[in-house]
Amino acid sequence: MFRFLKTPYFALGAGLLLFLASQAVWAAPMTLPSVNLGFKTTENPNEVVNAVKIILLLTVLTLAPAILIMMTAFTRIIVVLSFIRQALGTAQMPPNQLLVGLALFLTFFIMRPAFEEVNEKALKPYLASTISQEKAVDEALLPLRRFMFNQTRDADLALFVKLSKMDAPKTRQDVPTMVLIPAFVISELKTAFQIGFIVYLPFLVIDMVISGVLMAMGMMMLPPVVISLPFKIMLFVLVDGWTLLVGSMVQSFG
């Protein structure tokens, strides 16, 4: 029996059976889902409302990165984290993905009260069809505008009011959002650079001390960064640098 399994006739028969089985499978009818893209009339207003909600949701998701960067605490946090990496001299450590992820979750932590207010006063009522689209947008902007006003310097706001050639606003409600956003971003960049300068100072002192010691020892061919890098990392770890840095940034938004 085992000899027959090794004969060419058995191999030929097995191959013929496999071929017939594959033909039977391909010949069997197959059902595939169909997708229909187009316009149709409807007498149910709820279908139209749901379609409009989907379009608005896709629009918001498209603009979400710009909203997150320009109207929240993300700008200040990511700039300061980039400064601390440059001050340490560790090049790509921590990596960009880690810094962006940390900045993103810190942004959610800082902006949580504003996001909760947007959800309660704008998103939920709109999805429940209790308020209009315009009212939902206005309610969603209120906590974000309040946050941006608290972090924007008067000089920066006055600059963009002047550049917009609009009449001097009497109250904060009279300031357009399109004028407030660039003023807020400029203020955030200025604050982030001020924090970055303070962060740089201790590490700059270490670089200068190490460079002076190496020159006094006649080791001018040895790059100072090779010796100063371990000392800067040790200093940052001993003072619990991440806790101090993150705590100071979060408190700066108070």
Side-chain angles (χ1 to χ4, degrees):
M1 179 178 179
F2 293 101
R3 292 180 180 178
F4 174 74
L5 296 178
K6 298 180 180 180
T7 59
Y9 300 102
F10 177 77
L12 180 62
L16 181 61
L17 288 176
L18 290 175
F19 174 76
L20 293 176
S22 63
Q23 292 298 319
V25 171
W26 286 108
M30 299 179 64
T31 58
L32 296 175
S34 61
V35 179
N36 185 16
L37 299 177
F39 298 96
K40 66 177 182 178
T41 60
T42 179
E43 298 180 355
N44 187 3
N46 291 330
E47 294 184 5
V48 179
V49 173
N50 292 332
V52 173
K53 289 180 179 179
I54 293 175
I55 294 174
L56 291 177
L57 179 60
L58 294 176
T59 303
V60 172
L61 290 177
T62 303
L63 300 176
I67 295 174
L68 181 64
I69 293 175
M70 296 299 180
M71 301 176 64
T72 64
F74 184 85
T75 301
R76 183 188 304 185
I77 296 173
I78 192 63
V79 171
V80 172
L81 292 179
S82 300
F83 267 118
I84 190 63
R85 185 173 66 179
Q86 293 294 328
L88 285 171
T90 54
Q92 295 298 321
M93 190 61 60
N96 291 329
Q97 293 86 348
L98 182 58
L99 291 184
V100 173
L102 177 59
L104 186 63
F105 281 101
L106 287 176
T107 301
F108 289 150
F109 178 80
I110 294 170
M111 301 295 299
R112 182 180 60 178
F115 289 160
E116 289 178 351
E117 186 175 348
V118 170
N119 184 45
E120 294 294 332
K121 295 185 178 181
L123 184 59
K124 286 184 178 180
Y126 176 70
L127 294 178
S129 300
T130 58
I131 60 175
S132 62
Q133 175 186 345
E134 293 78 7
K135 182 65 174 178
V137 172
D138 293 337
E139 291 293 334
L141 284 176
L142 283 178
L144 295 178
R145 282 172 58 89
R146 190 183 312 119
F147 173 81
M148 288 189 290
F149 271 119
N150 292 335
Q151 308 301 325
T152 303
R153 293 176 173 82
D154 294 336
D156 297 328
L157 187 59
L159 170 64
F160 283 94
V161 169
K162 180 180 178 181
L163 293 176
S164 64
K165 298 180 181 180
M166 59 176 291
D167 296 333
K170 297 180 180 179
T171 61
R172 289 185 172 183
Q173 287 75 16
D174 298 332
V175 178
T177 303
M178 292 298 101
V179 174
L180 175 60
I181 292 176
F184 168 74
V185 174
I186 295 298
S187 296
E188 286 294 281
L189 288 175
K190 183 176 181 180
T191 303
F193 274 70
Q194 290 175 344
I195 298 175
F197 172 75
I198 297 174
V199 167
Y200 244 102
L201 286 180
F203 301 106
L204 180 61
V205 171
I206 293 177
D207 286 333
M208 294 176 63
V209 171
I210 296 297
S211 178
V213 172
L214 292 178
M215 291 185 64
M217 297 175 61
M219 304 174 64
M220 291 178 293
M221 299 300 295
L222 180 64
V225 67
V226 176
I227 306 300
S228 63
L229 179 59
F231 288 96
K232 290 191 288 187
I233 295 177
M234 182 180 64
L235 174 65
F236 193 71
V237 172
L238 289 178
V239 300
D240 202 2
W242 289 114
T243 301
L244 291 175
L245 182 65
V246 172
S248 299
M249 281 195 299
V250 173
Q251 291 176 1
S252 67
F253 289 97

